[in-house]
Amino acid sequence: MELRHEFTVPVPVEDAWHALLDIERVAPCLPGTVVEAYDGRTVKGSVKVKVGPVTVNYRGTAVFDEQDAAAHRLVLVASGRETRGQGTARATVTGTLSEHEGGTAVSVLTDLAVTGRPAQFGRGVLAEVGDRLVGQFAQCLAERLTERPAEAAAEEPVQPPRAEPEPVDLLRTAGLPVAKRAAGAAAALGALALLATRLWRRRRACRAPRRRRRSCRATWRRRRP
């Protein structure tokens, strides 16, 4: 699925460009993310995602496939796999920066493929989650870019980066309406499963000896509209 997002930060393009390439600096703005290693091109780390009562931990890599400083365009290819499951996530993120009213406009196109438990919510819910997460990221990034160096240095010893960040809660991030839709979908699936189970039991009963088959046929005739 393709997701498109746009946001602005109140700094010049060059400052925003260098900030986005400073992974250690922007990683705390990405909920549930831990950066374990970065060599200037490849990022290794993990992301925690919470789906209701279940927490899913993805571990993988992200590689800068393109960094065009002149055009202020970057392409990041990320892939990960659940540490306790068969689910996978893969994303190709294309970001473009341009000047906008003294600041920087950031356009992000994400080609996302998810399997496993988070995929059950579908494109609509994932798009709403993406909108909220990008909004939080943009606000956090703007604060980090506009803070004074002295203030940033003073805050570092007081608030060291956490080794185990809180996971991204998909239902809480998406909001109550989306959570209700997800719950409604789950209830509908449960009802269908219950109906299928009852039909299976009824058909199984009809495969019994001849006397029971007659009784079964009579029951179906009575219930037929």
Side-chain angles (χ1 to χ4, degrees), residues 149-167:
E151 295 176 351
E155 290 179 357
E156 286 180 359
V158 179
Q159 298 179 348
R162 292 178 298 176
E164 295 293 335
E166 291 294 325

Side-chain angles (χ1 to χ4, degrees), residues 9 11 31 33 69 77 82 95 99-100 125 164-165 168 174 184-185 194 206 219:
V9 289
V11 296
T33 301
V77 180
E82 289 184 29
E99 294 184 2
H100 178 72
V125 175
E164 295 293 335
V168 182
L194 180 61
C206 291
T219 300

Side-chain angles (χ1 to χ4, degrees), residues 14-225:
E14 289 297 327
D15 292 347
W17 171 258
H18 291 296
L20 288 176
L21 297 180
D22 189 349
I23 298 300
E24 287 88 350
R25 185 179 183 184
V26 301
C29 292
L30 298 170
T33 301
V34 173
V35 175
E36 299 171 353
Y38 177 51
D39 61 7
R41 184 171 184 270
T42 302
V43 185
K44 295 182 179 180
S46 62
V47 177
K48 284 187 177 182
V49 178
K50 187 175 181 182
V51 184
V54 180
T55 299
V56 181
N57 191 4
Y58 292 96
R59 185 176 297 275
T61 60
V63 180
F64 280 101
D65 193 55
E66 179 183 338
Q67 294 183 22
D68 189 338
H72 298 121
R73 182 177 184 273
L74 59 85
V75 178
L76 184 69
V77 180
S79 61
R81 180 178 294 275
E82 289 184 29
T83 57
R84 297 181 180 180
Q86 300 299 319
T88 61
R90 180 177 177 81
T92 299
V93 183
T94 303
T96 306
L97 283 64
S98 59
E99 294 184 2
H100 178 72
E101 298 179 355
T104 301
V106 183
S107 176
V108 182
L109 173 63
T110 304
D111 186 359
L112 177 66
V114 181
T115 65
R117 283 164 285 190
Q120 66 183 302
F121 294 107
R123 186 186 186 285
V125 175
L126 291 179
E128 292 191 43
V129 172
D131 290 341
R132 291 176 180 265
L133 290 179
V134 169
Q136 295 175 15
F137 172 78
Q139 181 179 358
C140 176
L141 181 62
E143 292 174 356
R144 285 181 173 270
L145 291 178
T146 55
E147 67 185 5
R148 297 177 182 178
E151 295 176 351
E155 290 179 357
E156 286 180 359
V158 179
Q159 298 179 348
R162 292 178 298 176
E164 295 293 335
E166 291 294 325
V168 182
D169 191 329
L170 294 187
L171 293 182
R172 182 178 299 177
T173 302
L176 183 59
V178 174
K180 287 183 176 180
R181 291 207 305 271
L189 290 175
L192 289 175
L194 180 61
L195 177 60
T197 301
R198 289 180 176 176
L199 290 175
W200 177 79
R201 289 178 178 175
R202 186 175 297 172
R203 289 178 180 177
R204 186 178 180 183
C206 291
R207 295 174 184 172
R210 185 176 302 173
R211 183 178 301 174
R212 293 180 60 184
R213 286 203 300 269
R214 292 173 183 169
S215 173
C216 180
R217 285 196 295 269
T219 300
W220 278 97
R221 290 193 190 99
R222 286 197 300 270
R223 294 185 178 182
R224 186 178 300 172

